[in-house]
C-alpha cells in the first residue's frame, strides 16, 4: 500500500509481523515502539538487507533527535549478531546471493554503534559497557569469517572481514589482537604476504592502538617510505589511533610538517577526532597553533572547511560548543563559516542527546550485564 496523505490510519494489519517503507523505497524515518523494534529483531530473517539497514539507520537517527532511545537500537542490534544476507536464498528468491554475512548490514551496524560509543565516551561506565556490548556483538562473526581470503571470494566479503577484524580488535577480542600483532611483526621483518592489502588498515590500527611507541614509529616509517597514495592514507588513519599524550602531540606535529600534503592532513585528524583519547588534544592543538594550521590549509578554503568539520564535530559537550564559537568569534572565517555552523549544530545535538539518554543507556547496559558502573 502507499501513503497518500500526511496522516492515515491503517487497519487489518497482521500484528505478528509488519514493516513500513518496505526495502526503504521512500525517504522518511519510521519510529517503531521499542517492543515492535525488538520483535523485528527476533524476526530478522523476514527482513531484506535494505530493511535491516533502514531500521538501524532510523533507530539511530531517532535516538539522536530524542524521538526514540539508544536502548531500543541496541536491543535490535543484539538480534543481528548472527546476521547473514541469505534470508532470500532460503526462500529461493535470489539464488545467486552467496551465503555470507552481509557487509552492508554490518557496515551500518558499526557506523551507528561507533557514533554512540563516540558520543558517550566520557562516561567511563557507559564506555566500558558499550565496548563489552561491541565485543559480544562481533565475536562470533569475526571468528567465523576468519583471516584467510579464498580465491572465489567476492569483494564485499573481504571488506566485511576487514571491518570485523578492526572492530573486534579495538573492542578487546584477544585472539584478533594477537593475530594482528603477529602478522604486523612478520610484515616488518620483510614478509609482505603476512598482511593482505585489504587488512592493512585494520592491522595497522590495532597495532598503533595497542603497541605503544614501537608500533607507532613503525607505521610512521611505513608512511614515509611508501609511494602509493592509498598506502599513505592508510598510515595516517592508523596513526590517529594513538593512545598517549606524547604520541598524539608527535602525530599532530607530523601532520603539519612537510611530510604530509595539504590535501591529506584531514585524514589523520578525522582519526584523532574519532579517538576519544585524542579529541581534546586535537582541539587544543588547533587553538594553540592556529596561525600554522591556517597558514597551511587556507590556500584552499574547501580543505580548511573540511579539516575543521572533521576535527571538531565529534564533541558532545555544550562547553566545547561555546569554546569553539568563542575562539572563532573574532577571526576571519570567510570560506569556512558555514562549516563552523554545521560543527556547532552537530556538537549541540550530540550534547543534547548525551544529556537526555545517558542515564537510560547506563540502566540498559547494567540490566543486560555489560557494566556494573
Amino acid at each position: 500500500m502507499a501513503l497518500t496523505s500526511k496522516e492515515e490510519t491503517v487497519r487489518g494489519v497482521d500484528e505478528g509481523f509488519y514493516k513500513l517503507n518496505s526495502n526503504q523505497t521512500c525517504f522518511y524515518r519510521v519510529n517503531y515502539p521499542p517492543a515492535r523494534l525488538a520483535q523485528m529483531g527476533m524476526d530478522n530473517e523476514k527482513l531484506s538487507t535494505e530493511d535491516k539497514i533502514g531500521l538501524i539507520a532510523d533507530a539511530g537517527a531517532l535516538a539522536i533527535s530524542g524521538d526514540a532511545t539508544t536502548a531500543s537500537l541496541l536491543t535490535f542490534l543484539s538480534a543481528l549478531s548472527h546476521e547473514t544476507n541469505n534470508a532470500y536464498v532460503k526462500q529461493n528468491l535470489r539464488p545467486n546471493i552467496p551465503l555470507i554475512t552481509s557487509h552492508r548490514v554490518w557496515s551500518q551496524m558499526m557506523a551507528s554503534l561507533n557514533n554512540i560509543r563516540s558520543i558517550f565516551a566520557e562516561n567511563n561506565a557507559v564506555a566500558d559497557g558499550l565496548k563489552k556490548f561491541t565485543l559480544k556483538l562481533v565475536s562470533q562473526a569475526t571468528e567465523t569469517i576468519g583471516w584467510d581470503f579464498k580465491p572465489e571470494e567476492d569483494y564485499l566479503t573481504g571488506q566485511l572481514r576487514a571491518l570485523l577484524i578492526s572492530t573486534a580488535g579495538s573492542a578487546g577480542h584477544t585472539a584478533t589482537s594477537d593475530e594482528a600483532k603477529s602478522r604486523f611483526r612478520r610484515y616488518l621483518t620483510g614478509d609482505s604476504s603476512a598482511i593482505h592489502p585489504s587488512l592493512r588498515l585494520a592491522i595497522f590500527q590495532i597495532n598503533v592502538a595497542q603497541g605503544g611507541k614501537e608500533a607507532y614509529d613503525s607505521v610512521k616509517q611505513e608512511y614515509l617510505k611508501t609511494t602509493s597514495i592509498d598506502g599513505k592514507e592508510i598510515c595516517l588513519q592508523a596513526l590517529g589511533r594513538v593512545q598517549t599524550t606524547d604520541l598524539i602531540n608527535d602525530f599532530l606535529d607530523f601532520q603539519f610538517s612537510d611530510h604530509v600534503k595539504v590535501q591529506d592532513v584531514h585524514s589523520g585528524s578525522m582519526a584523532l577526532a574519532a579517538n576519544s583519547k585524542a579529541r581534546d588534544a586535537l582541539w587544543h592543538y588547533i587553538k594553540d597553533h592556529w596561525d600554522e594550521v591556517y597558514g597551511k590549509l587556507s590556500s584552499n578554503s574547501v580543505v580548511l572547511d573540511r579539516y575543521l568539520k572533521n576535527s571538531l564535530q565529534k564533541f558532545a559537550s555544550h562547553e566545547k560548543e561555546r569554546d569553539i564559537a568563542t575562539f572563532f568569534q573574532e577571526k576571519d572565517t570567510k570560506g569556512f563559516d558555514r562549516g563552523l555552523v554545521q560543527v556547532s549544530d552537530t556538537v549541540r545535538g550530540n550534547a543534547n542527546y548525551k544529556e537526555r539518554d545517558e542515564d537510560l543507556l547506563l540502566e540498559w547496559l547494567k540490566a543486560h550485564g555489560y557494566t556494573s558502573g
Side-chain angles (χ1 to χ4, degrees):
M1 63 168 293
L3 299 178
T4 57
S5 60
K6 186 174 182 180
E7 182 174 325
E8 190 168 342
T9 300
V10 181
R11 305 186 187 281
V13 175
D14 176 7
E15 296 205 9
F17 178 84
Y18 65 85
K19 165 69 171 66
L20 302 179
N21 196 13
S22 178
N23 292 323
Q24 299 304 111
T25 305
C26 301
F27 298 98
Y28 58 82
R29 304 286 187 191
V30 179
N31 190 5
Y32 293 96
R36 172 56 54 186
L37 190 61
Q39 184 61 47
M40 282 195 286
M42 295 171 62
D43 294 333
N44 68 79
E45 73 280 356
K46 300 178 181 178
L47 299 167
S48 68
T49 295
E50 291 78 10
D51 284 334
K52 293 170 187 175
I53 293 171
L55 286 167
I56 297 165
D58 285 358
L62 291 166
I64 293 174
S65 69
D67 295 294
T69 67
T70 309
S72 294
L73 172 59
L74 295 185
T75 300
F76 183 70
L77 292 180
S78 298
L80 297 181
S81 60
H82 306 297
E83 153 61 18
T84 59
N85 67 349
N86 63 340
Y88 286 169
V89 176
K90 293 178 182 177
Q91 301 171 32
N92 200 31
L93 296 178
R94 293 162 70 180
N96 293 324
I97 298 180
L99 296 178
I100 59 167
T101 309
S102 169
H103 170 263
R104 288 193 293 155
V105 176
W106 274 105
S107 182
Q108 182 61 60
M109 290 166 67
M110 293 303 100
S112 296
L113 187 53
N114 287 340
N115 188 52
I116 294 168
R117 293 182 65 186
S118 174
I119 289 172
F120 294 96
E122 293 183 4
N123 184 315
N124 291 333
V126 173
D128 182 62
L130 288 171
K131 183 177 180 179
K132 291 177 180 175
F133 173 85
T134 304
L135 178 60
K136 182 178 180 181
L137 186 70
V138 303
S139 288
Q140 182 173 334
T142 306
E143 292 160 9
T144 299
I145 200 168
W147 288 80
D148 297 325
F149 287 72
K150 301 175 181 61
E152 70 277 9
E153 269 186 5
D154 61 74
Y155 173 77
L156 289 180
T157 301
Q159 292 299 295
L160 175 62
R161 178 178 290 106
L163 174 65
L164 290 172
I165 287 174
S166 176
T167 303
S170 68
H173 192 276
T174 304
T176 297
S177 294
D178 290 346
E179 181 66 18
K181 292 172 185 176
S182 173
R183 289 174 181 253
F184 188 63
R185 286 192 298 268
R186 287 160 49 200
Y187 180 81
L188 293 179
T189 57
D191 182 5
S192 59
S193 66
I195 299 180
H196 188 281
S198 294
L199 295 181
R200 281 181 299 168
L201 178 59
I203 291 176
F204 286 5
Q205 285 176 329
I206 292 170
N207 278 274
V208 169
Q210 301 175 16
K213 188 176 187 303
E214 183 178 356
Y216 169 81
D217 286 341
S218 295
V219 174
K220 192 175 175 182
Q221 286 302 311
E222 178 73 14
Y223 173 88
L224 292 172
K225 72 180 184 182
T226 186
T227 57
S228 68
I229 295 175
D230 70 313
K232 288 188 177 295
E233 185 172 353
I234 284 170
C235 290
L236 290 174
Q237 291 176 8
L239 289 168
R241 292 293 183 96
V242 288
Q243 299 293 295
T244 60
T245 302
D246 58 330
L247 295 181
I248 292 168
N249 289 330
D250 183 87
F251 182 45
L252 283 163
D253 286 335
F254 181 72
Q255 281 192 103
F256 284 92
S257 71
D258 293 336
H259 293 298
V260 180
K261 294 181 179 180
V262 170
Q263 65 268 25
D264 296 334
V265 175
H266 75 282
S267 294
S269 290
M270 281 179 66
L272 289 171
N275 178 353
S276 61
K277 298 284 184 65
R279 198 174 296 154
D280 283 328
L282 172 60
W283 170 227
H284 286 301
Y285 187 92
I286 291 172
K287 289 192 292 183
D288 295 342
H289 300 81
W290 175 246
D291 289 342
E292 182 182 351
V293 172
Y294 185 81
K296 179 159 186 169
L297 305 180
S298 61
S299 60
N300 187 327
S301 61
V302 173
V303 171
L304 180 57
D305 180 77
R306 180 177 58 190
Y307 174 80
L308 291 174
K309 285 191 292 187
N310 288 329
S311 297
L312 302 177
Q313 62 186 1
K314 291 293 186 179
F315 286 114
S317 158
H318 291 298
E319 180 183 356
K320 280 293 190 299
E321 182 209 350
R322 290 190 293 269
D323 188 26
I324 293 168
T326 300
F327 178 77
F328 287 105
Q329 189 171 14
E330 301 299 326
K331 292 180 170 50
D332 181 6
T333 59
K334 183 179 179 181
F336 59 94
D337 51 328
R338 291 185 180 180
L340 291 176
V341 172
Q342 292 176 23
V343 167
S344 180
D345 288 345
T346 301
V347 174
R348 188 185 311 115
N350 290 343
N352 290 338
Y353 172 35
K354 179 184 174 186
E355 291 177 353
R356 184 179 57 248
D357 232 33
E358 193 166 40
D359 290 342
L360 289 172
L361 176 55
L362 181 58
E363 182 180 337
W364 188 92
L365 291 168
K366 287 180 179 179
H368 290 79
Y370 293 109
T371 185
S372 57

